[in-house]
Amino acid sequence: LDWSPADMHLLVSGSIDNKIMIWDLSNCYQRQATVGSSSRMMSAPMTSILSPKEVLCGHRSFVKGVAFDPLGRYLVSSGADNVVIIWDCHPPEAPSHSQGMSSNNSSSSSG
């Protein structure tokens, strides 16, 4: 899980179904509303929590980690498929893939 540093209303999660979900929680916070001369606390309906704003697919195995960059422009995900994906969050676009190294892989160089 990670919060977007850009506005602190977006939460990103990775899951075992190979998906990354971006949740917009801006409507889920309690807000104070003034009605006439009195004020009362209002909260958003739970339905705003139950569906993600975006669902990103790109991993072939479960998502192990997600993180926003310090400015909230990019999202990085890593999966059990040894792949790291960098997502452009404004707007989410096709990912850039980087194949990870596992203990079974060896690197070779040509000269």
Side-chain angles (χ1 to χ4, degrees):
L1 291 173
D2 195 20
W3 290 98
S4 169
D7 60 13
M8 295 302 293
H9 291 154
L10 297 179
L11 179 68
V12 64
S13 64
S15 64
I16 61 172
D17 64 357
N18 313 346
K19 295 177 184 171
I20 299 148
M21 287 171 259
I22 300 175
W23 308 87
D24 184 356
L25 302 179
S26 61
N27 293 326
C28 299
Y29 297 107
Q30 289 190 340
R31 299 186 180 177
Q32 187 167 345
T34 303
V35 180
S37 61
S38 65
S39 62
R40 60 187 177 107
M41 295 301 288
M42 298 173 49
S43 60
M46 285 296 283
T47 55
S48 60
I49 298 175
L50 300 177
S51 55
K53 176 182 177 180
E54 296 282 340
V55 177
L56 306 174
C57 301
H59 287 285
R60 293 183 179 169
S61 188
F62 67 91
V63 179
K64 293 172 68 172
V66 291
F68 282 101
D69 77 292
L71 299 177
R73 165 77 191 215
Y74 298 99
L75 171 67
V76 177
S77 63
S78 63
D81 53 3
N82 294 322
V83 173
V84 171
I85 302 175
I86 301 170
W87 306 85
D88 186 351
C89 295
H90 299 286
E93 297 173 352
S96 167
H97 294 299
S98 296
Q99 182 68 37
M101 295 285 291
S102 70
S103 59
N104 298 350
N105 293 346
S106 62
S107 61
S108 62
S109 61
S110 57

